Structures are given as C-alpha cells and as structure tokens.
Amino acid sequence: MDDRSGRLLRKRLFLGLGLSLAYAAVLYLLIWRGSGGMLFISGLIFMPMAIASVFSAVADPLGRASIGTHLKWALIGIAVLLVLSIIVFREGGICVAMAAPFFFAGAALGSSLTVALLRKRALRHTPPLMILAPLLLAPFEPHLDYRMVDEQVVSIIEIDAPRADVWAQTVEIRDIRKPELKPTFSHNVVGVPTPVNARMEGQGVGAVRQLRWTKGVRFEEVVTAWDQDRRLAWDFRFGPDSIPDAVEAHIDVDSSYLKLARGDYVLEDLPNNRTRLTLTTRYRMATPINAYCALWGKIFLNDFHSTVLKVIKDRSEAQA
C-alpha cells in the first residue's frame, strides 16, 4: 500500500468511526432514551448491527479488506461506544454489563453481513436497509408480547446462634457499615448499589420495612407473613423515584417486562443451638431473552443475598 492509499484508508477509518458514533448517539436518544420502554430487539441486536454496518460501509465501501479487519474495526468501535456511554450519557454499570455481549455479537454480525453485501456488486445498495433496521422496527416492538416466566433465587447460610438472636438481626438490619460488606462482582465491579439500612415500621402482617441502599435507592417491603422467630415474608413496593436514573435508567424492576415481586426469610433450628437461615427472592419477567436475563438475575441476587446474609450472620454470632 502506497502513502496515498494509506492516507485515504486512514481518512475513511476516521470518517467511518465518526459517522458510526454519531449514528449511535442518534439511535441511543431515539431507542434507549426516547422510547419510554425497553426495546430488546431493536436496541440490543439491530442497533449494534447498524452501527457496525455504518463503520464498514464508510471505511471500506467496496469490501476489499478482510473479514478479520472489519471485525477488528467493529469491535474497537463498539468498545469506544460503550466507554463513551458511561462517560457522556452516564450509563449505569448494570445496563452496560448486560448489553455488552449483545453489542459485541451484533457488531460482529453487522460488519460481516455488510462486507458480504459490499463484495457483491448487485447487492451493494442493500446495507442502508440494515442501517435503518432499528429505526424501522422500534415503533412496532412495544406491541410484541413475550412469555411471562417466574424465577426465584434461594440462598442459605448456617449461623452459630439461636433462632431468636437471628430473628432480631433479620427483621431489622440497621446502619450497615462498609467493613461489614463482603466483596462481590455485582457491587465492586459492576457498581450495583449496596444495602445501608432496613428499618421496620410496625409489627405483624401489614408492617412496612423501609429499605435504603447507596446511590439514593429507596424502596419498601410490605410484610405479608410474620411468624415470630420462624418466617418473615413480604411484597416489594417501589415508587417512581425508588431507583434514580443515575443508577439505572433502563431496567425497571416494577414494569411489564420485569417485576421484583416477593421475598422471605425462613429460620430453622439446627443442632447445638444453631440456625439455618434461608433468603428467597421471587421475580417475574417477559422478554425475548428470558434465559439471559435470568442468568444476570441470579448473579445480582446471589451477590445481594450473600452480602446481607453475611451481615446477619456476623451480627447474630456477635450477639450470641
């Protein structure tokens, strides 16, 4: 490659990167910020395909570079986009972590298809259809129905303390200090908020436990079962400001596609005056990627469960 060809290629690469990032911003504002809901297909699949297609079509309009080269460009471009989404649009770590696999896979697919089309003279006019696909699909996606599934995450811990002591540390978990929290992937890598306080208002069925987490997260647990020293169950209740947009603007835990529903603690006697404590959280979801979302649900809830159960265990054993 001579100097002139090299300069032309660099210009096309920078132009492709600039135009693809500009188009990404447009899609982000229309699909993720402007849709008023969660658009899984157009937002997680067709959006990265379209962004990578813009890059490949502008940088190499005849498809002369190898597929490997195009894939490298696409993956670098998506990595830049994800970093910018955190810096510029203040995206939360939860959304970025969950979307990243789809964005990289979609970009690889979009780039590969675009190159294949560009190499066929009769099909070189078709990449714009791929580029416009997320915009064409977005208005129709809210009308699609997905199968509702019920999921639950169960965590168990054994505590060297009698049930009465464990119950006292379970019903209310006041003033959780940072040194009491165990390191987890969700909290220390992804940046999920951590629990700060759980304060019970009243006793028995109908009592309300006020939950406060870091980063301004606040919600309630309405008690539905109260069996002293044995079982505490509740329904989750979220308000419009329970989870600030700065924490997570896209994942609504009280919506038509995801609902954090119920939870309970169960306390059982063990030999030698010990207690088995079981924490269960139940939720429902209806998305085209239920299995994938359930995987992340297990990660996030298991990390939360293990964190709060450790606090209960440490405090109960210290009291005993």
Side-chain angles (χ1 to χ4, degrees):
M1 180 183 298
D2 57 31
D3 290 343
R4 182 177 179 182
S5 298
R7 288 196 299 270
L8 179 60
L9 176 59
R10 286 192 293 272
K11 287 182 180 179
R12 285 178 174 170
L13 286 174
F14 283 114
L15 180 60
L17 179 61
L19 289 177
S20 63
L21 290 177
Y23 189 50
V26 172
L27 293 179
Y28 176 86
L29 293 174
L30 292 176
I31 292 177
W32 288 111
R33 288 293 187 185
S35 66
M38 178 68 84
L39 303 182
F40 294 94
I41 299 175
S42 53
L44 289 177
I45 299 174
F46 284 105
M47 178 176 169
M49 289 179 64
I51 294 168
S53 185
V54 170
F55 195 110
S56 291
V58 173
D60 184 22
L62 299 180
R64 291 173 175 171
S66 67
I67 293 290
T69 299
H70 276 271
L71 289 177
K72 180 178 71 174
W73 294 343
L75 297 181
I76 291 174
I78 288 297
V80 171
L81 172 63
L82 291 175
V83 172
L84 289 178
S85 72
I86 297 173
I87 297 173
V88 178
F89 294 111
R90 304 295 183 184
E91 279 296 332
I94 301 173
C95 192
V96 172
M98 294 182 67
F102 282 95
F103 267 55
F104 283 116
L109 178 60
S111 183
S112 300
L113 289 175
T114 300
V115 174
L117 294 172
L118 292 174
R119 289 177 177 176
K120 296 183 180 297
R121 185 182 298 272
L123 298 176
R124 286 179 182 168
H125 63 285
T126 56
L129 294 177
M130 188 187 310
I131 293 171
L132 294 175
L135 295 177
L136 297 175
L137 177 63
F140 301 98
E141 191 172 350
H143 303 289
L144 300 177
D145 291 324
Y146 303 111
R147 183 173 65 93
M148 179 71 73
V149 297
D150 293 299
E151 296 284 347
Q152 67 176 23
V153 174
V154 180
S155 300
I156 301 172
I157 195 169
E158 296 185 359
I159 303 173
D160 291 322
R163 272 192 296 114
D165 289 343
V166 177
W167 173 267
Q169 301 300 330
T170 299
V171 172
E172 286 196 313
I173 313 174
R174 295 286 193 105
D175 303 321
I176 301 173
R177 295 173 289 107
K178 191 172 182 179
E180 294 182 278
L181 303 176
K182 62 177 289 186
T184 67
F185 169 76
S186 299
H187 301 125
N188 298 91
V189 177
V190 177
V192 175
T194 55
V196 174
N197 200 45
R199 177 173 53 85
M200 184 68 74
E201 295 180 347
Q203 285 191 344
V205 175
V208 177
R209 191 159 70 156
Q210 302 289 344
L211 278 294
R212 182 165 60 89
W213 291 6
T214 55
K215 301 182 180 180
V217 174
R218 296 174 183 271
F219 59 97
E220 297 177 339
E221 295 171 348
V222 181
V223 175
T224 57
W226 182 299
D227 187 357
Q228 185 76 29
D229 297 342
R230 294 186 181 277
R231 181 171 182 260
L232 179 72
W234 61 86
D235 289 340
F236 291 101
R237 185 163 67 191
F238 297 92
D241 300 321
S242 286
I243 302 178
D245 287 347
V247 176
E248 186 46 66
H250 307 305
I251 301 177
D252 186 348
V253 295
D254 189 23
S255 64
S256 59
Y257 62 86
L258 174 63
K259 184 173 182 60
L260 198 58
R262 303 178 304 280
D264 64 62
Y265 287 110
V266 175
L267 293 77
E268 301 170 278
D269 284 324
L270 292 175
N272 301 319
N273 216 23
R274 302 169 67 244
T275 303
R276 177 187 294 117
L277 177 62
T278 302
L279 171 57
T280 303
T281 300
R282 299 173 179 85
Y283 62 97
R284 310 186 72 192
M285 59 183 176
T287 77
I289 52 172
N290 281 340
Y292 180 77
C293 292
L295 173 63
W296 280 101
K298 289 180 180 178
I299 293 173
F300 292 141
L301 287 174
N302 273 324
D303 283 349
F304 167 71
H305 284 189
S306 65
T307 297
V308 73
L309 289 177
K310 177 184 179 297
V311 174
I312 295 173
K313 174 182 171 67
D314 292 345
R315 292 185 176 187
S316 299
E317 292 178 349
Q319 177 176 311

